[in-house]
Amino acid sequence: MQVDWEKILAARAKTIVGFQIRSFFHLTEKPEVISFAGGFPADSGFPTAEIKEALACLLETEGKEALQYGPTEGIFELRQFIARKMAGEGISAPVESIMITNGSQQGLDLVFRLLLDPHDYILVEEPGYIGGLGAIQNYQGTRVGIPLGKEGLDLDYLEKKLKLMKMKGRKPKCIYTIPNFQNPTGAVLPLEGRRRLLELASEYDFLIVEDNPYGEICFEGEKLPSIKSLDKEGRVIYLGSFSKIFVPGIRVGWVLAPAPFMNKLILAKQATDLCSNSLGQRLLCQVLRSGFLAGHVEKLVKHYRLKRDIILESMERYFPPQVQFTRPRGGFFTWVSFPSSLYPPAGEILLKALERKVAFVHGDGFYSTAGKIPSYEARFSFSQPAPEQLEEGIKRLGQLLYEMQRLSKSAAVSGS
Amino acid sequence: MQVDWEKILAARAKTIVGFQIRSFFHLTEKPEVISFAGGFPADSGFPTAEIKEALACLLETEGKEALQYGPTEGIFELRQFIARKMAGEGISAPVESIMITNGSQQGLDLVFRLLLDPHDYILVEEPGYIGGLGAIQNYQGTRVGIPLGKEGLDLDYLEKKLKLMKMKGRKPKCIYTIPNFQNPTGAVLPLEGRRRLLELASEYDFLIVEDNPYGEICFEGEKLPSIKSLDKEGRVIYLGSFSKIFVPGIRVGWVLAPAPFMNKLILAKQATDLCSNSLGQRLLCQVLRSGFLAGHVEKLVKHYRLKRDIILESMERYFPPQVQFTRPRGGFFTWVSFPSSLYPPAGEILLKALERKVAFVHGDGFYSTAGKIPSYEARFSFSQPAPEQLEEGIKRLGQLLYEMQRLSKSAAVSGS
């Protein structure tokens, strides 16, 4: 008898779809393409020499521990370091409230696994991080989009939405948010907004899942207190990552959660992969002991600030003035809006850009309507391309955008 | 408003419980305790020097790739190596049917996530691997225990159970089995049994999840063909691991699955952790290129065979003759049965053993009845203790068991 896969799969398997980004990596990540698509950290910023040295030392002194299974919740020394780091950011959290994960993405997976029953409501930013939306979809959560402006989440809209939901007897379990240098827009939620979000969470009784992978990549202005540091009711679950401030290839992130939830998280991780990789965790400990990280992050901030400056200056110079873009003061991304009166949806612009060997990610996948409503927006990541590529890529795209405008105008003229 | 965690958690979170094993690691893994509990590979068998060298070379030649994000499905070269390895074991599988996971435990998690709706039936070995049972519980599967004899799964029982389930309109989605040197009993399913299991799977239309972490740790006798290699209908999902034949601390395992299922697996992993750690995967490639692994596995087999011989000889010599144990011809475990007429449940024996600084895992957690029916059995892992510890630990335990017998007899006498 042949296997009928459609019939045998669980309901949740049927709704799983891929990230649009990854489905065309084979096009965007060709060496001849200047790619603003990836969102990976720059490998030129990896401290390869230091890591080589640290690994040699590690294998000499703690080789057996670095190659053996470790505790599910992560290596104690690393959790201690993170607790101290969090304390420095105004979050007083005991080591026991911290669990190491395979990048913060695994934190999202485990958190949503424990929170979301099928069709549970969850508030998400629109546009929002694709990986977060994917993790929610894995557990069949129903996403309720909250628009994001230049000042982060639109809290007036959120409050109206919450009132409306309450009237309909609908209660969201949580909100998923990246308050610092958001992926994909680069927006920052102001301090007043953080306080108000906590008040709304308390009033309407939902949790806040605060994802902070980019917080330390801050180019200018004040670093705002995390939502977690303002949380008096234990309502915030905080996710951190070493992927952007160290390297992503060791897959080390963390979750910080209130005790009743942390216990469940550890049990869920146990049956998920027993533990995170010991080699990467102990490599990190080795590097952190030397105090290397602080200086390294400073260098990274300079590196990415320079790239941010170049991409914004190039957009200013080469893009038609009708094309708008955000001016992030940290992180990896700027969000570009093409006026729909002049351009086709961004997915079509992308296809033409690829012919000229330039890539970005069009906006469709960042919305909970993914694919149904074509987006006239796009995410540009400035983290990976070299400075000269940044300018060249935007220049090529600028030429394309001017050509498309001319075509669109002459079509309008000949059509009138 | 305070958070009501009980109310906010998803249904699946409420049923998650920890592995009994891990809950008393703090007792069993003290340095002064001789522990047969862990089931970890022996760190004396780790090729630390070779790994140190391979890492130095890796950071020199592929440093950037080893520290960057990688493809969700895993690094192509490693998947190619696994495809060749599988071909050598009679499984003809294209690279595309192989995905790298964070140890085979993550493979189990993803497979059960895609197969099990709450309350779906799944056939499991009794006693069975605790991590497998935990992964099933994470997705609220209903476990149907099939007893395991010296010859592996009791297929007559299985067939009767399947008939009975069919009469009741119940259909299992799959069976989860470790056919080689099973955890916890060490049993091997004979060739004829493998064929019959496939026939039953075809007749009753369920999948087989074949977990093979110990297959290469074979002390004597023939290595039997995997169930997957006999599978003509694409009904078997196969899980492999480098944890026992190389090191577990890099968390590298793999899933081999038919194409329609593999596509879903990759999408599920994408939203789970983006990708497995590149450093460990590329370290493995570096080591595998040199052809190091074959000779290394030979050494490990000798190492574990010696330990198996010592533990069995010691049990023979020091245990009361009424205490029975399996004689595995591979793997890490022997399964011990204490006659209930002479002894209290194994959990109580364990408490007394810990007073004498000896540890093992009592049998409760290996059954789907976990904790409800006390077990008179126990798993002894001989992989970790040094040879002299193996004998000393069993000797101490033997003394305890004789003492307990005497006490039980004198109690019976004084009670009569």
Side-chain angles (χ1 to χ4, degrees), chain A residues 237-406:
Chain A
I237 297 164
Y238 177 101
L239 299 148
S241 172
F242 287 101
S243 293
K244 276 75 188 182
I245 55 172
F246 187 56
V247 296
I250 58 169
R251 310 303 298 117
V252 179
W254 70 93
V255 192
L256 192 158
F261 195 64
M262 181 46 70
N263 298 339
K264 292 283 180 185
L265 275 173
I266 295 171
L267 297 180
K269 182 165 165 72
Q270 215 173 66
T272 297
D273 61 5
L274 304 179
C275 61
S276 283
N277 80 93
S278 307
L279 186 63
Q281 289 184 69
R282 289 196 183 260
L283 163 62
L284 247 173
C285 289
Q286 187 79 23
V287 168
L288 294 171
R289 268 176 229 151
S290 71
F292 166 79
L293 199 64
H296 181 64
V297 171
E298 244 179 74
K299 271 192 221 163
L300 288 179
V301 168
K302 271 188 205 159
H303 174 95
Y304 291 123
R305 185 195 291 127
L306 174 72
K307 288 185 169 178
R308 189 270 323 251
D309 290 345
I310 293 173
I311 198 171
L312 294 188
E313 281 161 22
S314 305
M315 284 179 166
E316 201 72 68
R317 188 161 163 197
Y318 298 111
F319 275 10
Q322 298 90 339
V323 175
Q324 294 193 303
F325 46 89
T326 61
R327 295 168 181 281
R329 64 176 191 85
F332 285 5
F333 309 108
T334 170
W335 185 246
V336 176
S337 307
F338 306 101
S340 62
S341 57
L342 292 173
Y343 292 100
E348 290 181 39
I349 304 178
L350 173 61
L351 291 179
K352 289 196 189 299
L354 283 169
E355 288 169 15
R356 306 196 182 188
K357 313 275 184 246
V358 182
F360 54 83
V361 190
H362 64 84
D364 298 18
F366 299 93
Y367 288 90
S368 50
T369 50
K372 284 171 215 151
I373 302 170
S375 155
Y376 290 81
E377 297 159 309
R379 188 190 77 176
F380 280 65
S381 165
F382 50 83
S383 55
Q384 258 186 316
E388 61 282 7
Q389 282 186 313
L390 284 169
E391 183 175 357
E392 172 60 25
I394 295 300
K395 191 175 167 185
R396 282 190 212 164
L397 211 61
Q399 285 167 349
L400 171 68
L401 292 171
Y402 273 111
E403 284 172 32
M404 288 178 84
Q405 269 200 23
R406 276 195 294 274

